[in-house]
Amino acid sequence: MPKSFIQTFLNNYITASIIAIVALLLGISIGSQSIPFSSIWETLLHHTFHTPTNVPTAISQIIVSIRLPRVVLAFLVGAALALAGVAFQGLLKNVLADPYTIGVSSGAAVGAVIVFFFQLHLSFLGRFTLPIVSIMFALVTLLFVLLFARLAERNMGIETIVLIGIIMNAFFGSVISLMVAFSGEELRQVISWLMGSVAMRGWSYVSLFVPFFIVGSLGLFTHIRELNAFSFGERTAANIGVHVLRKKLWILLSASLLTGAAVAVSGTIGFVGLVIPHMTRLICGANHRKLLPLSFLYGGAFLVLADVVARTIVAPRELPIGVITSLIGAPLFAMLLFKSLKRKTG
Amino acid sequence: MIDVKDVSYQYGEKQVLHHISFTVHEGEFFGILGPNGSGKTTLMKLLSRELPLQQGNIVVCGQHIETYKPKQYAKLIATLPQHIDVSFGYTVKEMVELGRYPYQSTFFPKWTEEDDQVVDEALRCVTLAHKQHVLLEQLSGGERQRAALARALAQQPRVLLLDEPTNHMDVAQQFKLLNLLKQSKLTVVAIFHDINIASLYCDRLLFLRDGKVVACGTPRQLLNESMIESVFDTCMKRHEHPVLPKPLVTFVPFLEQPIKDVLWHVTQHENMVVIETMKPFKVLSSALVGGGMRWATTFVNRHVSLDYRCDDAEQEMIEFLRQQGFDEQWTVGMMTAVDIRDVVFTSAYEPVRFFVAVTAGVGNAVDSANAWRRADAVASPGTINTFVFIDGHLSEAAFVQALMTVTEAKTKALYDKQVVDTQTHTIATGTSTDCTVIAASQQGTYYEYAGTITAIGKQLARFVYEATQMAIDRYNERKGENR
């Protein structure tokens, strides 16, 4: 199959980086107050190298305290979800797997809601209580999903995982509704948070997220060869000398880390981990050596742009970002499911 | 190299392997055979460590199998599974590169020049170098299998484990793959379904049945009829490969009802005698068309003139047979310069039904003992053609003995008729272009031997002797008439 011009053009780190930077700049520039690129550039230089600037303080304030943390968070969350999606898909050999569709995001959300509901504050964790509880819930959910899938069907069919995702989402959804009902007013805001949002988070959320993001990403980027091996099945992986159980745990842990932390700071944003790996695979093929870094860049750029759309489409109000990603992701999900079922039945 | 000692395995309550022991030597091509459910694949999975050992010991390269780390083991043993898991979106080369995994360090994996060379070499070895950048999903089944083999080779293992490696492959692909493995000089342990392929390629075989070792040894030792029957519950006959010193087996799917009434039918034409049988006969002959061992239903003794000369007599004969409406695949055809009207037929019913037809011309009589004194080299027609049909089941040895018996009887007939080799002036033993056909219906009584002193041999010799004498008499008479 000859590659189209667009595929060749996008299959390249430089292009991907430029797209990511442009997305970030657009994310900062567009909003109720439109800011030209030049001002953004000047402000950024001013804040890093203390170069002189003509940008009014109000604008510079908007850039540094509001827009910049927002786009950075959106970028990191998008990248994290895309990486987690790649990992789940590689490990489960299933293109339909992503943190949202298999229910891991919902699990993490339950963790986060529990933290809010009981006002949990574990002193030795400090403000990291929220992400760590979310991550633990993500990991437990993931292990449960895997166990369940294996029990249900030894050869883990592509639909099995989808059904399990439905069960998980339904169950965790009602758990959250229950907690919201019990709590009265205070958790109302949780509902909009659940739809996913990167608004009004500020730098504190970025700093909350970054450590987990770094560890999780490193965990996946050091397992590129194993992810490739798992794509050929666990048996093959074992045959070529992969320590299957240990490596699998590492990858699952890293993916849970990314998912759990992302949910903790931005709620459940669906389908990023499905859309981005799928598109990236069309561009660069399935080899994780390229798939992982490109998904990282495109995932980040995608969520920044999705956020721009979410806050401009019905301005001055904002849509939850999850609405936008689901609008794009759900039809693609349907298409992939249809395609894989068709391949199965011939 | 690989020492399997007293290995048993059970899935839950079900015991699938019972005290299996065997040894595979370095450089050996070792085949594992057995009916379905005999435990072959379980044994293979134990060797590849896909299943944990439950009972017994497996030692590979002097070390217990479970003491190896995954990467160490992958450098030692590579597995080519029966079903290749193919991941969409990978190229052939990317798949083969995975084979280098055990050679790279965990924390700072570095792709070296050597890795590149090994991958290239593996791709070249399976002749997929030209397709290295093609996506796996665009390959045929056989090519995928070869790509998987290249990945296994890239592991630079000392042992290759194969589970029915040639499943889903066409004949050419099968032999390509196996030749490749044979040339690789690796130690190969493989499960085979096809007994003959196993015989062609394996140095030694292991027969499993119901999770137990039935036998272990060379194909020549193991491929005998009773052994195959006891392992596979199938009736088979053993024979030899026509070119290689390897035994082969053939299935006997069903046995035909023996024919009791008329078995052969003779028609005499102006230029040929045709004997047609009601069922195919197994034939050993020195005939021009259909010589050697074969099955035939039609036997043609064709008259040609004394000055018949043809560069490609066989082709000319085949065309002649076709013109007469015979299928040369089922025909044994020979020529004679003798007048076909002088053919002699005799038949008998003791100890079995048999039938002899002889045409004799002794113009080119030769004394084989003194033939080296003769100067001529080219044979011309003028022949004693002998046909023997036996309604019995002859072993291969019996065929050869019948041929000897018939030849000796013919020679004695010539001796008693004082037929002289005109060049050496000694008594002839035959002519330069004699032809003999031994045909047996392969039904009824089984004859292991047919030598001159066996019941069947005695009668054969007697009737051939008499018929030959009579044919020589007729030949001489006709020569006298013509003079």
Side-chain angles (χ1 to χ4, degrees), chain B residues 30-34 39-44 161-166 189-193:
Chain B
F30 190 85
I32 301 175
L33 286 98
K40 297 173 301 211
T41 300
T42 306
L43 182 59
M44 212 50 148
L161 302 180
L162 314 170
D163 189 348
E164 283 180 47
T166 56
V189 180
I191 292 177
F192 282 104
H193 238 124

Side-chain angles (χ1 to χ4, degrees), chain A:
Chain A
M1 178 173 58
K3 287 200 163 184
S4 72
F5 166 74
I6 295 178
Q7 280 174 312
T8 324
F9 175 69
L10 293 175
N11 184 11
N12 166 337
Y13 297 125
I14 297 171
T15 317
S17 309
I18 290 171
I19 288 176
I21 289 169
V22 169
L24 285 168
L25 288 175
L26 281 175
I28 298 169
S29 154
I30 298 172
S32 51
Q33 171 84 49
S34 194
I35 302 168
F37 280 12
S38 59
S39 308
I40 300 169
W41 197 238
E42 254 178 56
T43 311
L44 289 181
L45 283 179
H46 173 73
H47 275 267
T48 37
F49 302 110
H50 303 286
T51 48
T53 174
N54 298 325
V55 181
T57 328
I59 301 283
S60 134
Q61 213 47 45
I62 292 176
I63 293 172
V64 175
S65 309
I66 301 176
R67 298 261 175 97
L68 190 58
R70 180 172 185 152
V71 293
V72 168
L73 190 65
F75 186 88
L76 294 181
V77 167
L81 292 175
L83 291 184
V86 170
F88 288 143
Q89 286 157 27
L91 213 55
L92 299 172
K93 293 193 67 180
N94 189 333
V95 290
L96 298 179
D98 114 315
Y100 184 73
T101 56
I102 64 174
V104 175
S105 290
S106 309
V110 169
V113 173
I114 284 176
V115 172
F116 293 137
F117 186 69
F118 295 106
Q119 301 287 322
L120 267 187
H121 190 83
L122 305 173
S123 54
F124 61 98
L125 294 177
R127 63 195 197 92
F128 288 113
T129 306
L130 174 65
I132 285 179
V133 171
S134 288
I135 288 164
M136 275 160 47
F137 268 77
L139 186 61
V140 170
T141 312
L142 183 58
L143 293 177
F144 190 72
V145 166
L146 290 177
L147 184 78
F148 200 56
R150 182 147 297 186
L151 285 181
E153 206 179 343
R154 268 198 94 74
N155 257 336
M156 240 200 266
I158 202 153
E159 324 76 75
T160 315
I161 211 91
V162 177
L163 295 177
I164 292 168
I166 291 173
I167 297 170
M168 289 293 174
N169 282 328
F171 178 71
F172 290 133
S174 15
V175 170
I176 291 172
S177 299
L178 204 64
M179 283 193 285
V180 171
F182 276 121
S183 73
E185 274 306 302
E186 19 181 325
L187 280 185
R188 273 295 139 77
Q189 45 162 357
V190 165
I191 296 185
S192 74
W193 171 81
L194 279 175
M195 289 299 287
S197 170
V198 285
M200 305 313 287
R201 294 291 200 260
W203 286 111
S204 65
Y205 272 77
V206 175
S207 65
L208 201 62
F209 183 56
V210 161
F212 302 102
F213 178 76
I214 290 174
V215 174
S217 305
L218 272 180
L220 292 184
F221 275 103
T222 50
H223 285 85
I224 286 175
R225 293 167 314 135
E226 286 82 359
L227 277 167
N228 280 334
F230 282 126
S231 298
F232 285 84
E234 279 183 27
R235 248 179 82 175
T236 304
N239 285 338
I240 63 170
V242 176
H243 201 305
V244 172
L245 195 66
R246 186 186 296 168
K247 299 295 179 185
K248 202 164 126 181
L249 265 179
W250 262 113
I251 293 170
L252 289 178
L253 192 67
S254 305
S256 305
L257 217 61
L258 289 171
T259 309
V263 170
V265 296
S266 64
T268 49
I269 299 174
F271 298 110
V272 179
L274 185 89
V275 175
I276 297 305
H278 179 71
M279 295 297 179
T280 313
R281 222 176 267 122
L282 290 180
I283 293 167
C284 72
N287 193 337
H288 289 78
R289 198 174 305 288
K290 237 171 167 181
L291 181 60
L292 217 51
L294 282 182
S295 292
F296 178 96
L297 292 169
Y298 286 129
F302 172 74
L303 206 63
V304 171
L305 294 178
D307 180 46
V308 169
V309 174
R311 66 187 195 231
T312 52
I313 197 164
V314 288
R317 285 184 300 130
E318 280 191 14
L319 278 179
I321 194 169
V323 172
I324 305 297
T325 57
S326 297
L327 271 178
I328 300 169
L332 179 74
F333 181 71
M335 192 194 85
L336 288 176
L337 177 65
F338 184 69
K339 255 169 82 177
S340 55
L341 287 181
K342 217 174 150 194
R343 185 181 295 148
K344 204 165 160 186
T345 53

